[in-house]
Amino acid sequence: MSTSVPPLFSVVPGGLFGPLASANRERYWELLCRLFDEFFGPDAPLPPSIGFQRREITGAVERYLLTDDPWVDEDGGEGGAPGASLLERANAIYERFRSTGWLRQERVGAREMVSMMPVVSQLLSTLVEFAEHGPTFVSAKVRSIELQLQQVVDGKAFGDALDEAADQARRLLVSLSSMSLKVRDLMPELSRSETTAQFARQWFERYVSSFFVGDYADLHKADHPLARRSAILSMAQQVEDASLHEAMLGWYREHLTGGDTERAELRLQRSLRRLHELERIDEYLGRLDEDIRQANRRALAFLDYRLRAPAKLDVLLRRACRGVLQAPEDALRLPVAPGALMDDAQLRPPRRKPQPIPRSANAMQQPTPEQLARLSLLRRMKRARLVNAEDMARYLGRHLPPEGGIDSTQLSIGSIEDLRAYQTLLTLALRSRRIGGLRREDPLGRLQRGFRVELLDAGEAGDNGYLRAPRFAVHRLRKTA
């Protein structure tokens, strides 16, 4: 079980990584993250059980192409086909996602519904989490392992806590074993700093704490949780005793291996072996300390060079060598001008620092009474034209009977607020006549509380003295027990 290769492509579609390996991989990744946040991710609203309509997904792709469109042309024309319309390009990108397995399309009746398979959604969530991964905090992981093992020893938890503690121990060791300061990768990036001060600032800001181990400065303290690894190993030894071992083995056999005692024993031994591997954590920390010492030596050597060498010395030397190689022989003589070689008139005058411009605070000007009155009037005008759920309930409460409904000709208009409520009801009636009814994302849907609006006859118009519009009816909804 520990040496077998996990069957990745028997779980996810085989061509899933095709868009992320193309020339537009950054655009595909950004678009996948936007679709995940808007439709399929944990921060998105609860998706319908049958999925979203295809037009909603392609519409989101069109909005992305309108705001950010530096796509390059590929084989097949995804995202960058010259002369293609915005809709055609959005459909081409959608088909690329559907054919590679990121999106799944099903036909429900006459509609094409789009969803994302749970395993693909889980993989995308893992990739987003990996891309946002920050420095590792060893203390938090060690505390979590210790608390879970303590619950197992006290009998408050079973094999699930033991298995999770073993997985966390493995992830901690993998993080430390793969954690190298990578001086060869870090130093060239920092060496491109224009000034010595900028190099020193980036070196200390982007060094170990913010890049690799968040609590590295506390690792060697006596009260650091890493010093508790002996207690963790002791509790792992207690799990191997007869009583706890049989209880854990029974849980593994019942929940993970389907009654197979041999596989349960192997799975339990694997978890305990991962916990005992915490004994090797000193080896990883020792290698990390050696990498840091090497990085410090290279940083000090680089700072010493930058402080001793003149500014842009390498550029000046390359320019001089290139000029010497291209110049004729008679020009390679000592460029001595007539007159004295050493004279104060040939020195550069001292640099004079300009006087700073005196600063003054911005003057505060109080508004006049007329301006305040206009602002208050503007707010009252905007509030009079705004219709919320309470205004709609207040308007319909004066007209709508407790049971049944009312015709639009019976609705009275006595103020601007009443006229705006009447207009909102008319808009709801017209939108409810469309195919599919009122859309889920329509903001007017939040105003329908306890009633529904029905368009009576779109061809026959009524006149109430203010508006000439189609007639509609308002029905009160019955309260369900």
Side-chain angles (χ1 to χ4, degrees):
M1 295 176 60
S2 60
T3 58
S4 61
V5 178
L8 176 62
F9 292 102
S10 64
V11 180
V12 300
L16 191 70
F17 298 99
L20 301 181
S22 62
N24 290 309
R25 53 186 176 274
E26 295 182 0
R27 303 302 167 189
Y28 280 125
W29 169 250
E30 186 174 358
L31 183 54
L32 280 173
C33 292
R34 291 193 180 188
L35 294 177
F36 186 73
D37 292 338
E38 186 176 355
F39 296 99
F40 309 107
D43 297 332
L46 184 64
S49 58
I50 60 176
F52 298 92
Q53 294 191 22
R54 171 172 173 164
R55 180 54 192 161
E56 295 183 57
I57 306 299
T58 55
V61 177
E62 290 180 27
R63 292 194 302 270
Y64 170 72
L65 293 178
L66 282 174
T67 56
D68 193 6
D69 191 18
W71 293 66
V72 299
D73 192 15
E74 298 180 359
D75 294 335
E78 290 88 357
S85 64
L86 189 64
L87 178 60
E88 293 176 348
R89 299 172 63 195
N91 286 327
I93 295 175
Y94 168 82
E95 288 297 329
R96 180 73 182 275
F97 284 154
R98 187 192 62 81
S99 61
T100 54
W102 286 106
L103 299 177
R104 178 175 61 184
Q105 178 177 310
E106 297 175 332
R107 181 173 293 275
V108 179
R111 296 178 299 175
E112 294 179 345
M113 309 305 294
V114 182
S115 61
M116 183 177 288
M117 291 189 299
V119 64
V120 176
S121 177
Q122 182 180 0
L123 175 62
L124 183 56
S125 177
T126 304
L127 291 177
V128 172
E129 181 181 357
F130 177 80
E132 297 175 350
H133 177 69
T136 301
F137 288 87
V138 179
S139 60
K141 296 183 179 296
V142 174
R143 286 193 185 96
S144 178
I145 295 171
E146 182 182 6
L147 291 176
Q148 289 181 349
L149 282 181
Q150 189 64 48
Q151 291 182 352
V152 172
V153 173
D154 295 342
K156 299 179 181 179
F158 297 93
D160 51 348
L162 178 63
D163 198 64
E164 178 63 22
D167 290 341
Q168 289 193 20
R170 170 53 61 90
R171 288 194 292 268
L172 174 61
L173 291 179
V174 169
S175 177
L176 290 177
S177 64
S178 61
M179 185 186 305
S180 176
L181 293 185
K182 299 181 180 178
V183 184
R184 296 181 180 178
D185 298 334
L186 185 61
M187 289 301 299
E189 182 179 356
L190 297 178
S191 301
R192 289 192 291 268
S193 303
E194 297 180 359
T195 62
T196 306
Q198 184 179 1
F199 171 83
R201 183 172 59 254
Q202 291 185 0
W203 175 255
F204 290 105
E205 288 179 354
R206 300 188 54 191
Y207 203 35
V208 183
S209 297
S210 60
F211 213 69
F212 301 101
V213 183
D215 53 350
Y216 175 78
D218 302 328
L219 286 181
H220 301 283
K221 293 183 178 179
D223 57 344
H224 192 270
L226 196 58
R228 299 283 300 166
R229 61 182 178 273
S230 59
I232 295 177
L233 297 174
S234 176
M235 287 186 287
Q237 186 67 32
Q238 295 180 28
V239 176
E240 295 180 354
D241 294 340
S243 58
L244 272 177
H245 186 274
E246 290 298 326
M248 294 299 105
L249 183 61
W251 188 93
Y252 275 79
R253 181 173 56 248
E254 179 181 359
H255 293 85
L256 296 180
T257 61
D260 191 344
T261 304
E262 184 178 357
R263 290 178 55 201
E265 181 70 23
L266 291 176
R267 184 68 179 268
L268 178 58
Q269 291 301 325
R270 186 186 69 174
S271 299
L272 293 174
R273 185 170 60 254
R274 288 182 175 180
L275 291 173
H276 284 294
E277 285 178 356
L278 289 176
E279 295 178 350
R280 303 174 52 199
I281 199 169
D282 288 331
E283 300 177 15
Y284 300 120
L285 293 179
R287 189 180 67 178
L288 182 60
D289 292 338
E290 179 60 30
D291 291 337
I292 291 176
R293 285 191 290 270
Q294 181 184 359
N296 285 331
R297 288 194 296 267
R298 295 195 61 178
L300 290 176
F302 183 82
L303 285 174
D304 183 73
Y305 168 77
R306 292 292 296 268
L307 292 175
R308 292 175 179 271
K312 299 182 180 179
L313 178 61
D314 298 336
V315 178
L316 296 177
L317 290 176
R318 285 194 297 269
R319 187 182 301 172
C321 294
R322 187 168 53 250
V324 170
L325 294 175
Q326 296 178 358
E329 294 183 358
D330 56 347
L332 298 178
R333 58 182 182 84
L334 185 63
V336 179
L341 295 179
M342 303 295 295
D343 191 359
D344 57 350
Q346 298 181 3
L347 298 178
R348 188 180 66 179
R351 180 179 300 176
R352 298 182 180 276
K353 186 177 181 180
Q355 293 295 330
I357 300 175
R359 300 182 179 180
S360 60
N362 296 331
M364 300 295 293
Q365 183 178 3
Q366 297 294 334
T368 62
E370 180 181 356
Q371 292 175 340
L372 293 176
R374 289 179 178 275
L375 180 60
S376 177
L377 180 60
L378 179 61
R379 291 175 178 172
R380 294 179 60 185
M381 292 169 57
K382 290 183 177 180
R383 180 61 186 90
R385 288 164 172 76
L386 177 65
V387 180
N388 53 29
E390 290 75 11
D391 299 335
M392 184 63 69
R394 193 181 306 112
Y395 178 70
L396 291 179
R398 303 200 315 261
H399 302 86
L400 194 60
E403 298 290 341
I406 187 175
D407 192 87
S408 60
T409 57
Q410 300 176 359
L411 297 175
S412 61
I413 299 177
S415 62
I416 295 297
E417 291 82 0
D418 294 348
L419 179 61
R420 287 291 298 120
Y422 184 89
Q423 289 178 331
T424 304
L425 290 173
L426 176 60
T427 304
L428 286 171
L430 293 174
R431 292 184 180 180
S432 64
R433 194 64 176 266
R434 296 182 304 190
I435 299 177
L438 193 66
R439 295 181 179 177
R440 178 172 59 88
E441 68 275 8
D442 198 322
L444 294 182
R446 295 191 294 266
L447 303 180
Q448 293 194 99
R449 296 182 180 178
F451 68 93
R452 65 180 180 87
V453 186
E454 177 186 6
L455 189 66
L456 296 180
D457 191 355
E460 179 182 355
D463 190 354
N464 57 6
Y466 298 95
L467 292 175
R468 182 176 178 84
R471 294 174 53 245
F472 59 90
V474 183
H475 301 279
R476 185 180 293 276
L477 299 178
R478 295 180 179 180
K479 296 183 178 180
T480 58

